[in-house]
Amino acid sequence: MKKYGNVLWLSLVWSLFYIAVNTLNKQLSPFVTGSSVRIMAFVLLTLVMAFGKRLPLLRCPKNYLPWLILIGCLGFLLDFTSFIGLRYSSAGTGTVLLKVDVIFVQVMAAFINREKFDKLDWLLTFVMLGGAMLVMGINPFAMQFRATDLFFVLSALFVSINAFIIQKVQRMEVQRIGSQDKSGINSVIAYYNNAVAGLLFITAALVVGEISQVGAVWSQTPLVYIVMLAGLGQVGIYTLYYRALAKHPVWIVKIILLLIPVFALAFETVTTRQLPGADKCIGTIIVLAMAVAVILKHSRPPKTA
């Protein structure tokens, strides 16, 4: 269980990050939110790199640079497509469809990494996904689909592809930097990811005529605190997510990240002092039980012949 502690912390940090970003999105446009949070994360990542004396690592050979830029572009696209989906489709439908990245990564892992999944793996995945829907208060049988819902599917696809590319770049960076500086490797990937995605968000805000709002955010004290919290959460996600991808298969990480709605529900219960309904409690039990089952199943030492 201790082996997956990093991913459990990641689920908690990601849930708090979602809460902060959703709070910002209620007052700002998605492009202004994306730009502001990435700017804050850029400042924090620069400070981390500077104090760690890792800024020279950002000078990457030409053969590494396209991969790092691709990660940043996919980071922007996965947010951009989900934003478009939320603007023109149902948020409930989107919440469910964004979770299909769990299915995508299992299929990709089977083809890319030749990983083998037995029937129990698939059963645990689908049951846990169903439990997550209950936690979010969503009935999948009552959903109505629209053409714009495809943006959510695209977002889930970009998330999945990006995870495998990040793992590939991590292996490449080990050869360049050395396996002794794993945090340095992840810092380089995070820095480029955030910088490229941030520039694309700022460009999008400029195109739609909202760039002035990005500057105005920093003069509004309540919003600045939330942006700072979201930026800190973004850096935390980079740190924990990349560390998890370096240690575990992508699909294991994605499975455990289905705990995010559970942490968000717990935070909501504490802040509102209102107990969740029976369906959400049942969903929480299912998600927790399936997460424990996945962890225990894949923590066992492989059988020897």
Side-chain angles (χ1 to χ4, degrees):
M1 189 71 72
K2 184 179 179 181
K3 176 182 177 183
Y4 297 97
N6 177 75
V7 192
L8 295 176
W9 278 110
L10 173 61
S11 300
L12 174 60
V13 172
W14 218 319
S15 65
L16 295 175
F17 173 76
Y18 276 148
I19 292 171
V21 169
N22 286 336
T23 302
L24 290 172
N25 279 333
K26 291 177 182 178
Q27 304 178 59
L28 306 170
S29 81
F31 297 122
V32 175
T33 296
S35 300
S36 302
V37 173
R38 300 286 180 169
I39 290 171
M40 189 69 242
F42 178 81
V43 172
L44 293 173
L45 286 170
T46 302
L47 291 174
V48 169
M49 294 288 284
F51 281 109
K53 298 181 179 179
R54 293 194 176 107
L55 287 176
L57 296 179
L58 296 175
R59 294 182 178 179
C60 297
K62 292 182 179 179
N63 58 321
Y64 290 93
L65 197 55
W67 291 104
L68 293 170
I69 293 175
L70 178 59
I71 289 173
C73 289
L74 287 170
F76 167 76
L77 286 173
L78 64 91
D79 280 340
F80 177 74
T81 48
S82 66
F83 289 162
I84 296 297
L86 288 170
R87 178 168 292 185
Y88 297 105
S89 297
S90 164
T93 302
T95 305
V96 174
L97 293 178
L98 288 173
K99 297 299 179 184
V100 301
D101 65 333
V102 177
I103 310 300
F104 282 144
V105 295
Q106 284 191 246
V107 174
M108 290 180 185
F111 284 96
I112 297 173
N113 296 338
R114 304 296 181 185
E115 293 183 44
K116 294 183 179 180
F117 302 101
D118 54 31
K119 293 179 180 179
L120 181 57
D121 288 326
W122 287 105
L123 178 62
L124 292 173
T125 299
F126 281 104
V127 173
M128 193 171 181
L129 186 58
M133 292 181 191
L134 287 176
V135 174
M136 294 181 288
I138 296 170
N139 181 0
F141 301 104
M143 292 191 306
Q144 296 181 345
F145 295 98
R146 309 172 186 173
T148 48
D149 292 336
L150 289 174
F151 285 106
F152 293 123
V153 179
L154 281 174
S155 181
L157 180 62
F158 291 142
V159 170
S160 306
I161 294 173
N162 214 19
F164 286 99
I165 294 176
I166 289 169
Q167 280 192 333
K168 176 182 176 62
V169 174
Q170 283 175 329
R171 291 191 291 268
M172 294 170 66
E173 288 287 87
V174 165
Q175 298 176 356
R176 183 175 76 93
I177 298 175
S179 59
Q180 300 302 317
D181 191 6
K182 293 181 179 179
S183 59
I185 293 170
N186 292 333
S187 295
V188 171
I189 300 173
Y191 199 90
Y192 275 92
N193 185 347
N194 186 77
V196 173
L199 286 173
L200 291 173
F201 266 116
I202 292 172
T203 302
L206 184 63
V207 170
V208 298
E210 296 175 347
I211 193 64
S212 60
Q213 297 179 37
V214 177
V217 167
W218 306 100
S219 62
Q220 303 178 51
T221 304
L223 288 179
V224 170
Y225 289 138
I226 302 174
V227 169
M228 290 175 64
L229 180 62
L232 188 61
Q234 183 74 75
V235 174
I237 289 170
Y238 285 139
T239 303
L240 296 171
Y241 185 47
Y242 293 173
R243 190 180 299 168
L245 290 177
K247 294 173 61 177
H248 308 294
V250 176
W251 83 275
I252 289 286
V253 175
K254 291 295 184 179
I255 281 285
I256 299 177
L257 285 179
L258 286 176
L259 288 168
I260 290 175
V262 174
F263 284 116
L265 178 63
F267 184 80
E268 179 184 344
T269 302
V270 171
T271 53
T272 62
R273 297 182 180 180
Q274 294 182 352
L275 294 176
D279 56 341
K280 294 187 178 182
C281 290
I282 293 172
T284 298
I285 294 171
I286 292 173
V287 172
L288 292 175
M290 294 304 100
V292 171
V294 169
I295 290 173
L296 291 178
K297 181 177 185 294
H298 292 273
S299 295
R300 298 172 185 170
K303 296 180 179 179
T304 55

